[in-house]
Amino acid sequence: MAVLPREKTRMLFVGKVALGGGAPIPVQSMLTTSTRDIEGSLQQIIALEEVGCEIVRVAVESKRDLESFASICAGSPLPVVADIHFDYRLAIEAAKKGAAKLRINPGNIGSIDKVDAVIDAAGEAGIPVRIGVNSGSLEERVKTLESMNLATKMVVSVDFYAEHFKSRGFKDMVLSAKASDVNTTIEVYRMLSKSIPDFPLHLGVTEAGTTWQGSIRSAVGIGTLLAEGIGDTFRVSLTAEPEEEIRVSRALLATLNLGALDTATLISCPTCSRCKVDLIGMANQVEKRLATVKKPLKVAVMGCVVNGPGEAAEADIGVACGQGTGAIFAHGEVLYTVPEDHIIDALFNELQKLL
Ligand code: SF4
């Protein structure tokens, strides 16, 4: 598969995870557990790690969260980002308590002095900061710039803060400007990659919706940008369990052949009247079992032999079904035929030999 070119940004580290500078694109999610529930949060982090999450974000909402946040950072196998709104003092404390990165929206942190105090705290802790601008919470002075569209206003906001961070000698920053409108998101990030090309970009379509709708909107928004070489990390935001966000994220990367070198892919045909088996059920089962396969293998589930092996010739392993049977094939060559109820086991037996 063709490899896409990537825009070159500065490399920085979130814990041990490289971000930017052409590093493999790490995918992230945000915990849904209470930050005060240390055990539950760590369990969710482990579940996220198992499905391929590389960075987790945790909301720190009040002083009462800080001690448990420190315990989560200490016990987490993944680098933990402190997500802070409104109170700059929480960001300063989170930096001291083990955050691997801070995420702030400078527009709601208050005065520039407060932003400066966060920059200094991050500098002292040696951790990066994400300047995370959201379309819904632009600062007043930018919101009222009437001659500009929303995308341009967001770029103006990010630009201002990026320049300010730089003027204080702080360069370990990641930039994001999320909108819920996909076209605005694409426009903003295209502009950011030109106006501030040095710094890694965190992509995302915010309030994207449920797994079904949010996956489509994220695939279009984030996928378009990644296909253009823009973006160094991303979060697929879904109204769903965070593990779903990571499954979708990894599928997105695998689709573009970007970094997800341990993700298996299902190829399956849309079925038509030639199909004489329960291919939909079969494809769903295979997809579920493939989620645990950590290798970039392609498995094809095809409804008939007319087009099956030929159309899925790039698959490492596949099945082309007949009347209650399945011809197991590898790279387009049929190996043997099994009855319908043995197809999935046969596929995974063959797959096992490739792991
Ligand atoms: S592979 Fe066969 S069953 Fe599937 S869509 Fe093509 S012709 Fe129809």
Side-chain angles (χ1 to χ4, degrees):
M1 200 196 284
V3 177
L4 296 167
R6 302 255 317 272
E7 297 280 344
K8 202 68 183 244
T9 53
R10 238 177 108 78
M11 184 183 282
L12 50 81
F13 285 85
V14 182
K16 290 188 174 144
V17 177
L19 199 160
I25 296 171
V27 294
Q28 27 186 311
S29 185
M30 187 160 176
L31 297 197
T32 55
T33 47
S34 163
T35 304
R36 269 166 256 167
D37 176 4
I38 300 167
E39 196 55 38
S41 297
L42 288 173
Q43 275 172 18
Q44 195 168 60
I45 291 174
I46 289 162
L48 281 165
E49 186 191 28
E50 276 169 10
V51 290
C53 183
E54 290 152 297
I55 298 171
V56 285
R57 188 149 48 104
V58 173
V60 180
E61 292 181 89
S62 75
K63 273 205 297 208
R64 286 185 301 158
D65 286 349
L66 284 167
E67 287 312 315
S68 47
F69 175 76
S71 302
I72 293 168
C73 291
S76 173
L78 299 177
V80 179
V81 181
D83 189 83
I84 315 285
H85 284 278
F86 309 119
D87 189 344
Y88 75 106
R89 290 165 301 188
L90 294 176
I92 293 170
E93 288 306 310
K96 292 179 187 161
K97 301 265 183 212
K101 183 174 127 197
L102 301 175
R103 181 269 157 142
I104 60 165
N105 179 349
N108 70 24
I109 279 287
S111 66
I112 203 75
D113 295 356
K114 292 174 180 170
V115 173
D116 288 348
V118 175
I119 297 173
D120 293 346
E124 270 166 40
I127 57 173
V129 177
R130 169 155 70 98
I131 301 174
V133 166
N134 268 45
S135 60
S137 55
L138 282 172
E139 60 271 29
E140 225 30 59
R141 81 189 157 78
V142 177
K143 227 190 284 180
T144 48
L145 295 170
E146 279 171 14
S147 56
M148 294 178 184
N149 70 2
L150 178 59
T152 312
K153 286 179 189 177
M154 291 170 77
V155 172
V156 166
S157 179
V158 177
D159 243 329
F160 171 80
Y161 288 110
E163 283 305 322
H164 184 75
F165 274 55
K166 272 200 284 183
S167 74
R168 289 186 70 85
F170 190 91
K171 292 188 177 165
D172 276 352
M173 55 182 153
V174 183
L175 310 175
S176 74
K178 298 188 187 181
S180 58
D181 177 65
V182 171
N183 291 342
T184 304
T185 302
I186 293 170
E187 191 184 354
V188 170
Y189 280 100
R190 280 178 179 158
M191 286 197 274
L192 280 178
S193 76
K194 288 202 168 58
S195 69
I196 321 174
D198 297 347
F199 296 98
L201 294 177
H202 168 121
L203 307 180
V205 176
T206 185
E207 292 110 30
T210 57
T211 301
W212 182 77
Q213 182 186 286
S215 299
I216 294 170
R217 299 179 73 216
S218 299
V220 173
I222 297 170
T224 299
L225 291 162
L226 290 176
E228 293 175 10
I230 298 169
D232 300 280
T233 181
F234 64 89
R235 177 195 177 193
V236 168
S237 302
L238 300 177
T239 312
E241 293 302 321
E243 292 95 309
E244 277 302 295
E245 297 188 342
I246 298 303
R247 287 190 191 98
V248 174
S249 301
R250 299 202 72 86
L252 213 163
L253 283 177
T255 302
L256 291 170
N257 196 24
L258 277 172
L261 297 174
D262 56 356
T263 305
T265 310
L266 170 71
I267 299 167
S268 58
C269 84
T271 80
C272 70
S273 61
R274 293 188 187 92
C275 179
K276 310 293 183 213
V277 296
D278 172 22
L279 200 84
I280 297 172
M282 202 180 289
N284 281 321
Q285 275 192 60
V286 172
E287 185 174 63
K288 211 167 174 187
R289 280 178 66 170
L290 277 183
T292 60
V293 174
K294 305 278 182 235
K295 214 170 170 185
L297 297 169
K298 287 189 179 156
V299 178
V301 176
M302 308 295 282
C304 75
V305 286
V306 175
N307 297 322
E311 280 190 5
E314 82 268 31
D316 296 286
I317 288 294
V319 61
C321 298
Q323 181 84 47
T325 60
I328 305 295
F329 63 85
H331 299 289
E333 296 296 321
V334 174
L335 305 175
Y336 51 85
T337 298
V338 293
E340 182 176 349
D341 56 357
H342 290 175
I343 289 174
I344 292 181
D345 283 344
L347 272 179
F348 279 87
N349 281 345
E350 292 301 327
L351 201 67
Q352 197 63 38
K353 296 177 190 167
L354 304 175
L355 297 179

